[in-house]
């Protein structure tokens, strides 16, 4: 439907034209981004079918390729700008949703407490649980307001690449749960009138009873800090390529930057969620002490955390050039590389995860000697045939002096590959 609207032109866009970012406007940031994407897809598929080329460049394959690449680059930049506007508007509205979700959870807890109290009766533990939930919900709501421009309560778990961080999300979940459990004990201690009951509640905080939970809490928090340090050092050392996202998504917790599900993240989230559910049940059954997480389950969580950390160390890698050869079309004679010829750069890691969009692909540069050559976008139906993760095709400009020159690729993440030496003849 969006593509059909783009083909029909801009008569339906109205005065706003998609530039407005107000949430209630039908031509807001989301609509503007959708229309820009639709227009880009129409233009890309049209160029892939050979449509829209001006007569001045149609006679030259290299000229038409460069003109098409420039047109798609400009259109892709417009799409990226719309995407950033939509992401900012989406984050600004997210704090309302996080606040509603927090208080919705409080209402659910209230209903569960009320239903389970039928027949069993209302107890001080139920009151302490509701008061603790009220305090946690209030704190999260206040945090949502102070960070309303950065996603509300989700701001602490959004990484520097504008994606949800798996390690931070798991650590925050355990921190909130332990804080809730301690508040429940504090509420019961404040309401206790018997001296023996107060001593029993205080003894419920002893390390011997909550050693499993405390150990898991310490490890997941350390993993969150360590992963941020590891990723930062690997990016600065050009051993990991990171591309910022337009906005965070829930799928970020289970996928890599390219949107593919990763085993390390999935198992870490799944096992941590199961352990949290078990600890919550233990707290409901024994609200007079910290949840005594069994050491067997605690060790399972620790193994899962170690696997996640190992996965962070193993992911990524520096892009590499394996070979550079002269590009040859059907009917051409074999010959050495000359200025004006196309060369194929074969290797791996040229397209970082999350850089599959046209605006990211258009930022790739090949350094041939002292000359920087932007990699042209070659459209095909549904995507691009150049550049790819393992193959780049670029022309050798006439400014390159004959002789031995170095060829190097600079990816969209700004990472440079190794240098490969080729001979350029007259």
């Amino acid at each position: 439907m969006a593509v059909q609207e783009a083909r029909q032109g801009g008569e339906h866009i109205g005065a706003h034209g998609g530039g407005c970012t107000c949430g209630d406007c039908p031509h807001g940031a989301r609509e503007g981004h959708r229309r820009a994407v639709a227009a880009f897809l129409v233009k890309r598929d049209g160029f892939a079918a050979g449509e829209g080329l001006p007569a001045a460049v149609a006679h030259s394959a290299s000229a038409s390729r460069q003109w098409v690449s420039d047109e798609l680059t400009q259109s892709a930049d417009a799409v990226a700008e719309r995407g950033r506007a939509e992401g900012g508007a989406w984050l600004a509205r997210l704090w309302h949703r996080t606040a509603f979700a927090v208080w919705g959870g409080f209402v659910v807890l209230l209903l569960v407490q009320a239903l389970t109290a039928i027949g069993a009766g209302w107890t001080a533990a139920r009151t302490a649980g509701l008061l603790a939930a009220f305090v946690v919900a209030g704190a999260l709501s206040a945090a949502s307001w102070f960070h309303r421009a950065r996603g509300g309560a989700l701001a602490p778990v959004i990484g520097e690449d504008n994606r949800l961080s798996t390690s931070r999300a798991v650590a925050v979940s355990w921190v909130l749960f332990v804080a809730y459990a301690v508040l429940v004990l504090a509420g019961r201690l404040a309401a206790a009138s018997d001296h023996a009951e107060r001593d029993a509640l205080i003894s419920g905080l002893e390390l011997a009873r909550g050693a499993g939970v405390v150990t898991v809490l310490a490890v997941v928090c350390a993993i969150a800090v360590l992963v941020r340090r590891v990723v930062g050092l690997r990016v600065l050392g050009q051993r990991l390529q990171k591309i910022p996202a337009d906005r965070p998504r829930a799928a970020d917790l289970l996928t890599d930057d390219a949107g593919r599900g990763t085993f390390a993240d999935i198992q870490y989230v799944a096992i941590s969620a199961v352990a949290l559910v078990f600890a919550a049940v233990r707290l409901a059954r024994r609200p007079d002490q910290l949840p005594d997480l069994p050491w067997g389950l605690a060790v399972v969580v620790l193994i899962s955390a170690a696997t996640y950390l190992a996965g962070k160390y193993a992911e990524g890698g520096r892009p590499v050039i394996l070979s550079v050869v002269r590009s040859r079309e059907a009917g051409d004679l074999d010959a050495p590389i000359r200025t004006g010829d196309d060369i194929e750069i074969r290797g791996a890691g040229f397209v970082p995860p999350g850089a599959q969009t046209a605006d990211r692909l258009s930022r790739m540069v090949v350094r041939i000697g002292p000359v920087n050559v932007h990699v042209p976008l070659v459209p095909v139906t549904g995507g691009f045939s150049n550049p790819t993760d393992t193959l780049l095709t670029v022309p050798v400009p006439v400014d390159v002096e004959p002789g031995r020159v170095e060829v190097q690729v600079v990816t969209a993440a700004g990472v440079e590959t190794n240098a490969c030496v080729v001979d350029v003849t007259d």
Side-chain angles (χ1 to χ4, degrees), residues 160-161 163 227-244 257 312-313 315-319 352 411 413-416:
E160 288 73 13
D161 59 350
R163 294 181 177 88
V227 164
R228 180 180 181 182
R229 179 65 173 171
V230 167
V231 172
L233 290 178
R234 286 173 62 83
V235 170
L236 294 178
Q238 296 191 6
R239 297 188 300 273
L240 180 64
Q241 303 186 75
K242 296 289 288 185
I243 298 293
D257 292 352
K312 286 298 179 182
Y313 271 103
E315 73 176 0
R318 189 167 184 172
T411 69
V415 178
E416 297 180 346

Side-chain angles (χ1 to χ4, degrees), residues 321-380:
I321 295 178
L322 300 178
S323 61
V324 178
V325 299
R326 178 178 178 270
S327 179
R328 177 183 178 275
E329 296 182 358
D332 285 350
L333 298 177
D334 294 327
I337 298 176
R338 296 185 176 91
T339 56
D341 290 342
D342 289 343
I343 57 174
E344 290 183 358
I345 304 174
R346 302 170 182 175
F350 296 148
V351 180
Q356 291 81 10
T357 56
D359 64 301
R360 303 293 186 183
L361 295 177
S362 63
R363 296 183 182 181
M364 298 182 62
V365 174
V366 175
R367 187 178 296 124
I368 305 177
V371 183
N372 291 327
V373 182
H374 284 80
V375 180
L377 299 177
V378 180
V380 294

Side-chain angles (χ1 to χ4, degrees), residues 188-198 201:
R188 292 207 59 193
L189 183 62
S193 58
D194 184 68
H195 180 73
E197 184 180 1
R198 290 195 297 268
L201 291 171

Side-chain angles (χ1 to χ4, degrees), residues 191-231:
S193 58
D194 184 68
H195 180 73
E197 184 180 1
R198 290 195 297 268
D199 291 342
L201 291 171
I202 293 176
S203 64
L205 290 171
E206 293 180 356
L207 184 60
R209 298 191 178 185
V213 170
V214 172
T215 302
V216 169
L217 176 65
V219 170
V220 296
C221 290
I223 289 292
V225 175
L226 184 58
V227 164
R228 180 180 181 182
R229 179 65 173 171
V230 167
V231 172

Side-chain angles (χ1 to χ4, degrees), residues 46-115:
F47 286 150
E51 303 172 356
L53 288 176
V57 299
H59 67 281
S60 173
S62 60
S64 61
R65 181 180 62 185
Q66 187 61 48
W67 185 87
V68 167
S69 179
D70 292 342
E71 288 292 315
L72 289 177
T73 298
Q74 294 177 5
S75 181
D77 290 341
V79 173
E81 182 179 356
R82 297 293 191 189
R84 288 189 292 269
E86 181 198 4
W90 184 85
L91 279 178
R93 296 192 302 267
L94 184 61
W95 80 273
H96 293 96
R97 303 175 185 177
T98 57
F100 291 152
V102 167
W103 288 106
F106 174 78
V107 172
V108 170
L109 178 62
L110 175 61
L111 293 177
V112 171
Q113 294 278 39
L115 291 176

Side-chain angles (χ1 to χ4, degrees), residues 18 20 27-35 82 86 89 93:
C20 178
H27 305 289
R30 183 177 183 181
E31 179 67 13
H33 181 239
R34 189 178 71 89
R35 292 181 181 274
R82 297 293 191 189
E86 181 198 4
R93 296 192 302 267

